[in-house]
Amino acid sequence: MSFITRGFEGRRRSREPSGRIPPGQYATLDFPVLSAGPTPRISREEWRLTLADTTGAERSWSWEEFTALPVTDITVDIHCVTKWTKLDTTWGGVTLEDLLAGVELGEATVVLAHSYDGYTTNVPLADLSGGRAMVAHTYAGEPLEPEHGGPARLLVPHLYFWKSAKWVNRLEMLTHDRPGFWESYGYHNYGDPWREQRYSGD
Amino acid sequence: MAGAEIQRRLNWLVAVVVGVVEETPSVRSLTLSCPGWPGHRPGQHIDLRLTAPDGYQAQRSYSIATPSEGELVTITVERIFEGEVSPFLLDVVAPGDRLELRGPIGGYFVWDPGEGPPVFLAGGGSGVVPLMAMLRARISSGDGTPMHLLVSARSRDDIVYREELETLSHHDGVVVTLTLTRSRPEGWTGYDRRVDGAMLRDLVMSPDSGLVSYVCGPTGFTESVAGLLVALGHPPHRVLTERFGPTGG
């Protein structure tokens, strides 16, 4: 269905390792900042992360409690739906396994992540398991900066980066899926970059 | 923050370039005629897809600069140094060329005419593009919403849509303010510094007015201006942001 665009050659391919740039993406060395509103400034003293299970029961962590949990370091490629991909980003944080240890998951199938600025995004619980997701508090060896979601953000690197909610403060277990912020504005409900699931219907 | 938009599949469409305007030495507008275009809201953007002879494809997002007008979609593109797509759009594309696009995309950073609360628009560099769609919609619809556009540019020659902005500033209920960050031409009476708290205190209505702000530009500009508006007492949910001009485009 596509046709050759007159005069277009394209020239980034040679610089990029094969097999790591999803379709329609290009590699960037910068770390662009995209948010729908002002960056909230949350002090570590006031920061809390709350987990609500399907019965509505909650448990929450202060910054001190959260950072006392086991830390996992990962190096991953991240893919933003606005087309940039950043290779080999290094993060430290608490995997969802470690966070959910001892939590009664019941019939939960989806997690709706909430953020300090009111942002939400939905991710299947299965995608948060197997060490594939964390609540990250460290980027490139440094405390995560507010522009990039600090004090802590969700990190689900195998999905488009809008699923990695910045400034996360609440993880709500759901038995039925519910679209989050961008998912309600026509972005794909799941967001797999390798299947190029950018928008609803992709 | 919440919204419910009608979810519909975004198919790739074939558009023809019907107009080219050189806005500044590094910024160009392309008007595309796109059969099947469903219309759009001011502030939305499109995805453009280019295909090389060997099948390689590149995609980029571009804000739409004009209100919905039938099959016409105008985008404004800034040259990114060593970019892959923007130099092609500025140097190679000519009227009659066909380009693939889909959209409209985005339903949050939008403004529709309708006598709502007053609006403050702040654009840094080519971040003015989606704001221009809002301002143009305000003017062409005859809507009476008070609207103030602040544009920050390096020099007078770098102001995108400069001539049009100078005319629009005489429109009822519309105010356009320009600030130049790197040079001050002779006779310039506008601001000549980066947007700061004092400037916003001078220009922006108080939070009691219900003012809604739209801030679009490079990361530094957007972070700074949005933060200053919040510091002036504007509720964060009434400050909408869009980062513009990511690298590598």
Side-chain angles (χ1 to χ4, degrees):
Chain A
M1 128 184 122
S2 289
F3 52 89
I4 293 167
T5 312
R6 184 192 68 82
F8 180 69
E9 297 293 332
R11 58 186 176 80
R12 287 192 172 266
R13 282 155 291 179
S14 55
R15 302 219 307 250
E16 293 165 0
S18 64
R20 289 180 64 185
I21 310 291
Q25 297 289 109
Y26 63 88
T28 179
L29 296 175
D30 290 347
F31 193 168
V33 171
L34 290 99
S35 321
T39 294
R41 309 274 158 178
I42 318 298
S43 71
R44 281 156 180 67
E45 290 71 39
E46 63 181 310
W47 184 89
R48 286 198 85 78
L49 177 64
T50 300
L51 195 142
D53 72 18
T54 54
T55 70
E58 296 185 352
R59 66 173 296 181
S60 76
W61 294 265
S62 67
W63 184 255
E64 202 172 34
E65 292 161 344
F66 171 65
T67 51
L69 295 170
V71 175
T72 301
D73 294 310
I74 56 170
T75 299
V76 288
D77 302 339
I78 54 176
H79 312 290
C80 178
V81 72
T82 65
K83 320 294 181 315
W84 57 265
T85 281
K86 188 168 175 59
L87 301 174
D88 297 320
T89 59
T90 57
W91 303 82
V94 180
T95 64
L96 268 289
E97 261 99 352
D98 287 331
L99 208 55
L100 297 176
V103 172
E104 183 49 60
L105 295 174
E107 303 290 302
T109 54
V110 178
V111 174
L112 189 65
H114 300 254
S115 301
Y116 269 99
D117 64 339
Y119 182 79
T120 55
T121 188
N122 55 324
V123 184
L125 192 52
D127 285 81
L128 301 178
S129 65
R132 292 198 291 168
M134 64 165 55
V135 175
H137 51 57
T138 304
Y139 173 72
E142 301 288 336
L144 185 60
E145 289 178 23
E147 297 90 278
H148 291 304
R153 76 181 297 163
L154 189 62
L155 179 67
V156 193
H158 67 283
L159 301 179
Y160 280 124
F161 214 43
W162 87 79
K163 295 286 186 181
S164 295
K166 296 181 189 180
W167 314 300
V168 68
N169 68 348
R170 184 178 179 84
L171 298 173
E172 183 184 1
M173 302 289 148
L174 300 178
T175 51
H176 296 287
D177 200 8
R178 199 191 319 162
F181 178 75
W182 285 123
E183 294 83 5
S184 300
Y185 282 118
Y187 283 76
H188 199 274
N189 193 56
Y190 182 64
D192 179 355
W194 293 98
R195 287 185 281 167
E196 209 173 353
Q197 294 172 334
R198 298 180 192 279
Y199 313 115
S200 180
D202 281 355
Chain B
M1 285 193 198
E5 294 282 301
I6 296 162
Q7 312 245 327
R8 127 191 98 62
R9 192 181 159 80
L10 293 178
N11 292 312
W12 289 99
L13 303 170
V14 179
V16 178
V17 178
V18 294
V20 174
V21 174
E22 313 297 340
E23 305 280 3
T24 79
S26 61
V27 176
R28 185 190 216 194
S29 291
L30 298 174
T31 296
L32 310 165
S33 177
C34 185
W37 181 250
H40 60 272
R41 299 166 67 193
Q44 291 190 295
H45 63 273
I46 62 163
D47 278 2
L48 201 63
R49 179 166 75 179
L50 309 179
T51 304
D54 64 357
Y56 166 79
Q57 294 186 321
Q59 292 184 37
R60 295 293 185 277
S61 298
Y62 293 101
S63 286
I64 305 171
T66 45
S68 203
E69 190 192 343
E71 296 181 340
L72 295 182
V73 174
T74 298
I75 58 172
T76 300
V77 181
E78 178 176 26
R79 182 187 304 273
I80 307 287
F81 178 66
E82 290 193 335
E84 179 185 33
V85 172
S86 60
F88 170 79
L89 296 176
L90 269 89
D91 301 336
V92 180
V93 166
D97 281 345
R98 294 184 307 153
L99 296 172
E100 264 188 308
L101 63 85
R102 64 176 181 161
I105 298 157
Y108 182 66
F109 194 85
V110 295
W111 177 83
D112 297 304
E115 312 285 345
V119 172
F120 175 64
L121 310 171
S126 59
V128 69
V129 175
L131 311 179
M132 196 60 180
M134 300 177 189
L135 189 67
R136 285 167 164 165
R138 156 70 176 76
I139 306 253
S140 64
S141 67
D143 184 80
T145 303
M147 190 174 269
H148 189 153
L149 170 66
L150 170 63
V151 174
S152 171
R154 280 172 301 189
S155 71
R156 190 166 180 270
D157 290 341
D158 287 310
I159 300 172
V160 186
Y161 317 123
R162 180 169 53 84
E163 285 181 22
E164 186 177 350
L165 289 175
E166 286 170 353
T167 335
L168 288 183
S169 59
H170 301 295
H171 226 88
D172 239 14
V174 170
V175 182
V176 175
T177 303
L178 306 173
T179 186
L180 304 180
T181 57
R182 293 209 193 149
S183 72
R184 184 190 178 93
E186 212 167 301
W188 180 257
T189 54
Y191 289 104
D192 59 353
R193 60 182 201 265
R194 288 177 184 278
V195 176
D196 55 27
M199 190 187 297
L200 292 179
R201 259 195 304 280
D202 284 352
L203 298 178
V204 180
M205 289 186 196
S206 81
D208 316 335
S209 64
L211 186 78
V212 178
S213 300
Y214 296 78
V215 184
C216 184
T219 296
F221 175 88
T222 308
E223 285 287 319
S224 161
V225 175
L228 289 167
L229 287 167
V230 171
L232 287 174
H234 296 272
H237 69 270
R238 288 210 301 255
V239 179
L240 285 63
T241 65
E242 184 150 280
R243 274 63 169 174
F244 200 87
T247 55

